[in-house]
Amino acid sequence: MYLAMKTPLTRTPVPKISLEKWAVFRAVVEEGSFALAAERMNKSQSGVSYAIAKLEARLPSPAFVMNGRKAELTDWGAYLYRQAVILLDQAHAIDRNTQLMAEGWEQ
Protein backbone atom coordinates (compact mmCIF):
# COMPACT_ATOMS: atom_id res chain seq x y z
CA MET A 1 0.00 0.00 0.00
CA TYR A 2 1.28 3.41 -0.93
CA LEU A 3 0.98 6.34 1.40
CA ALA A 4 1.00 9.94 0.28
CA MET A 5 4.38 11.48 0.98
CA LYS A 6 4.56 14.85 2.64
CA THR A 7 5.57 17.47 0.15
CA PRO A 8 6.18 21.16 0.54
CA LEU A 9 3.08 23.29 0.30
CA THR A 10 3.20 24.05 -3.38
CA ARG A 11 0.35 24.12 -5.82
CA THR A 12 0.06 21.23 -8.19
CA PRO A 13 -0.09 22.65 -11.71
CA VAL A 14 -3.35 21.92 -13.49
CA PRO A 15 -3.29 21.62 -17.28
CA LYS A 16 -5.10 24.43 -19.05
CA ILE A 17 -6.31 22.13 -21.85
CA SER A 18 -8.51 19.19 -20.88
CA LEU A 19 -8.04 15.60 -21.99
CA GLU A 20 -11.39 15.91 -23.75
CA LYS A 21 -10.09 18.75 -25.95
CA TRP A 22 -6.91 16.77 -26.74
CA ALA A 23 -9.10 13.77 -27.66
CA VAL A 24 -11.15 15.96 -30.02
CA PHE A 25 -7.92 17.34 -31.52
CA ARG A 26 -6.64 13.79 -32.07
CA ALA A 27 -9.91 12.74 -33.69
CA VAL A 28 -9.85 15.71 -36.09
CA VAL A 29 -6.30 14.87 -37.16
CA GLU A 30 -6.94 11.13 -37.52
CA GLU A 31 -10.31 11.46 -39.24
CA GLY A 32 -9.19 14.30 -41.50
CA SER A 33 -12.28 16.42 -40.96
CA PHE A 34 -14.34 18.06 -38.26
CA ALA A 35 -17.48 16.23 -39.46
CA LEU A 36 -15.91 12.76 -39.24
CA ALA A 37 -14.31 13.63 -35.90
CA ALA A 38 -17.74 14.68 -34.62
CA GLU A 39 -19.15 11.33 -35.68
CA ARG A 40 -16.29 9.44 -34.04
CA MET A 41 -16.62 11.42 -30.79
CA ASN A 42 -20.43 11.28 -30.82
CA LYS A 43 -20.56 15.09 -30.77
CA SER A 44 -22.06 17.72 -33.00
CA GLN A 45 -19.80 19.29 -35.61
CA SER A 46 -20.25 22.65 -33.88
CA GLY A 47 -19.14 21.02 -30.59
CA VAL A 48 -15.96 19.79 -32.25
CA SER A 49 -15.34 23.21 -33.83
CA TYR A 50 -15.86 24.87 -30.45
CA ALA A 51 -13.46 22.46 -28.68
CA ILE A 52 -10.77 23.10 -31.32
CA ALA A 53 -11.29 26.87 -31.11
CA LYS A 54 -10.92 26.74 -27.29
CA LEU A 55 -7.82 24.54 -27.59
CA GLU A 56 -6.21 26.83 -30.18
CA ALA A 57 -7.00 29.90 -28.04
CA ARG A 58 -4.58 28.44 -25.45
CA LEU A 59 -1.79 27.82 -27.96
CA PRO A 60 0.96 30.26 -28.92
CA SER A 61 0.36 29.58 -32.62
CA PRO A 62 -2.29 27.77 -34.69
CA ALA A 63 -2.32 23.97 -34.87
CA PHE A 64 -4.34 24.02 -38.10
CA VAL A 65 -4.50 26.08 -41.26
CA MET A 66 -7.59 25.96 -43.40
CA ASN A 67 -7.15 24.87 -47.00
CA GLY A 68 -10.63 25.39 -48.40
CA ARG A 69 -12.87 23.33 -46.12
CA LYS A 70 -10.03 21.05 -45.01
CA ALA A 71 -8.06 21.68 -41.84
CA GLU A 72 -4.37 20.85 -42.27
CA LEU A 73 -1.82 20.57 -39.50
CA THR A 74 0.90 23.14 -39.18
CA ASP A 75 4.36 21.93 -38.10
CA TRP A 76 3.39 23.02 -34.59
CA GLY A 77 0.14 21.07 -34.89
CA ALA A 78 2.04 17.93 -35.99
CA TYR A 79 4.22 18.21 -32.89
CA LEU A 80 1.14 18.69 -30.68
CA TYR A 81 -0.55 15.70 -32.30
CA ARG A 82 2.38 13.43 -31.41
CA GLN A 83 2.32 14.71 -27.84
CA ALA A 84 -1.48 14.36 -27.60
CA VAL A 85 -1.26 10.71 -28.69
CA ILE A 86 1.26 10.01 -25.91
CA LEU A 87 -0.83 11.91 -23.34
CA LEU A 88 -4.09 10.17 -24.26
CA ASP A 89 -2.48 6.73 -24.43
CA GLN A 90 -1.07 7.28 -20.93
CA ALA A 91 -4.46 8.43 -19.64
CA HIS A 92 -6.09 5.30 -21.11
CA ALA A 93 -3.40 3.12 -19.51
CA ILE A 94 -4.09 4.70 -16.12
CA ASP A 95 -7.83 4.09 -16.55
CA ARG A 96 -7.23 0.48 -17.63
CA ASN A 97 -4.82 -0.22 -14.75
CA THR A 98 -7.17 1.38 -12.25
CA GLN A 99 -9.96 -0.89 -13.47
CA LEU A 100 -7.71 -3.95 -13.24
CA MET A 101 -6.68 -3.03 -9.71
CA ALA A 102 -10.31 -2.52 -8.74
CA GLU A 103 -10.93 -6.06 -9.99
CA GLY A 104 -8.11 -7.34 -7.77
CA TRP A 105 -5.25 -7.63 -10.25
CA GLU A 106 -1.96 -5.76 -9.88
CA GLN A 107 0.91 -5.39 -12.33
Side-chain angles (χ1 to χ4, degrees):
M1 181 167 167
Y2 296 99
L3 299 176
M5 297 177 64
K6 281 212 163 213
T7 57
L9 293 177
T10 58
R11 292 186 62 145
T12 302
V14 177
K16 302 295 185 206
I17 300 172
S18 69
L19 288 174
E20 177 73 18
K21 286 183 182 68
W22 287 119
V24 170
F25 175 75
R26 181 179 185 175
V28 169
V29 173
E30 292 176 356
E31 296 298 331
S33 79
F34 284 45
L36 291 174
E39 218 173 280
R40 172 175 163 176
M41 300 291 296
N42 198 27
K43 294 184 174 296
S44 66
Q45 188 170 341
S46 63
V48 167
S49 296
Y50 181 78
I52 294 299
K54 294 300 257 181
L55 180 140
E56 283 198 310
R58 289 275 182 191
L59 303 177
S61 59
F64 294 102
V65 290
M66 297 306 291
N67 186 3
R69 293 182 50 90
K70 184 161 174 65
E72 296 179 349
L73 281 176
T74 61
D75 289 341
W76 172 241
Y79 166 78
L80 290 175
Y81 169 73
R82 291 189 301 273
Q83 296 300 306
V85 168
I86 293 166
L87 173 68
L88 292 166
D89 287 350
Q90 286 293 311
H92 288 298
I94 291 168
D95 282 348
R96 186 176 55 251
N97 290 337
T98 301
Q99 183 61 39
L100 289 172
M101 291 180 81
E103 294 168 1
W105 182 85
E106 238 179 86
Q107 278 189 335

Short mmCIF file of all heavy atoms in Angstrom, two decimals, residues 6-13:
data_model
loop_
_atom_site.label_atom_id
_atom_site.label_comp_id
_atom_site.label_asym_id
_atom_site.label_seq_id
_atom_site.Cartn_x
_atom_site.Cartn_y
_atom_site.Cartn_z
N LYS A 6 4.67 13.42 2.35
CA LYS A 6 4.56 14.85 2.64
C LYS A 6 5.42 15.62 1.65
O LYS A 6 6.56 15.28 1.41
CB LYS A 6 5.02 15.14 4.06
CG LYS A 6 3.99 14.80 5.09
CD LYS A 6 4.14 15.76 6.24
CE LYS A 6 2.87 15.68 7.03
NZ LYS A 6 2.52 16.92 7.60
N THR A 7 4.83 16.62 1.08
CA THR A 7 5.57 17.47 0.15
C THR A 7 5.42 18.91 0.62
O THR A 7 4.49 19.24 1.35
CB THR A 7 5.00 17.35 -1.28
OG1 THR A 7 3.63 17.68 -1.26
CG2 THR A 7 5.18 15.95 -1.83
N PRO A 8 6.31 19.75 0.18
CA PRO A 8 6.18 21.16 0.54
C PRO A 8 4.84 21.70 0.04
O PRO A 8 4.27 21.18 -0.91
CB PRO A 8 7.34 21.84 -0.17
CG PRO A 8 8.25 20.77 -0.61
CD PRO A 8 7.45 19.49 -0.66
N LEU A 9 4.35 22.71 0.69
CA LEU A 9 3.08 23.29 0.30
C LEU A 9 3.25 24.10 -0.98
O LEU A 9 3.48 25.30 -0.96
CB LEU A 9 2.52 24.18 1.42
CG LEU A 9 2.10 23.44 2.68
CD1 LEU A 9 1.63 24.44 3.73
CD2 LEU A 9 0.99 22.46 2.37
N THR A 10 3.16 23.40 -2.08
CA THR A 10 3.20 24.05 -3.38
C THR A 10 1.95 23.62 -4.14
O THR A 10 1.40 22.55 -3.89
CB THR A 10 4.45 23.65 -4.20
OG1 THR A 10 4.45 22.24 -4.35
CG2 THR A 10 5.71 24.11 -3.52
N ARG A 11 1.54 24.45 -5.02
CA ARG A 11 0.35 24.12 -5.82
C ARG A 11 0.72 23.14 -6.91
O ARG A 11 1.75 23.27 -7.55
CB ARG A 11 -0.21 25.39 -6.43
CG ARG A 11 -0.79 26.33 -5.39
CD ARG A 11 -1.44 27.46 -6.05
NE ARG A 11 -2.55 26.92 -6.84
CZ ARG A 11 -3.69 27.53 -7.02
NH1 ARG A 11 -3.87 28.70 -6.50
NH2 ARG A 11 -4.64 27.00 -7.74
N THR A 12 -0.11 22.16 -7.09
CA THR A 12 0.06 21.23 -8.19
C THR A 12 -0.46 21.90 -9.45
O THR A 12 -1.61 22.34 -9.48
CB THR A 12 -0.72 19.93 -7.92
OG1 THR A 12 -0.26 19.38 -6.70
CG2 THR A 12 -0.55 18.94 -9.05
N PRO A 13 0.38 21.99 -10.48
CA PRO A 13 -0.09 22.65 -11.71
C PRO A 13 -1.22 21.85 -12.35
O PRO A 13 -1.17 20.62 -12.38
CB PRO A 13 1.14 22.70 -12.60
CG PRO A 13 2.11 21.75 -12.01
CD PRO A 13 1.74 21.52 -10.59
#
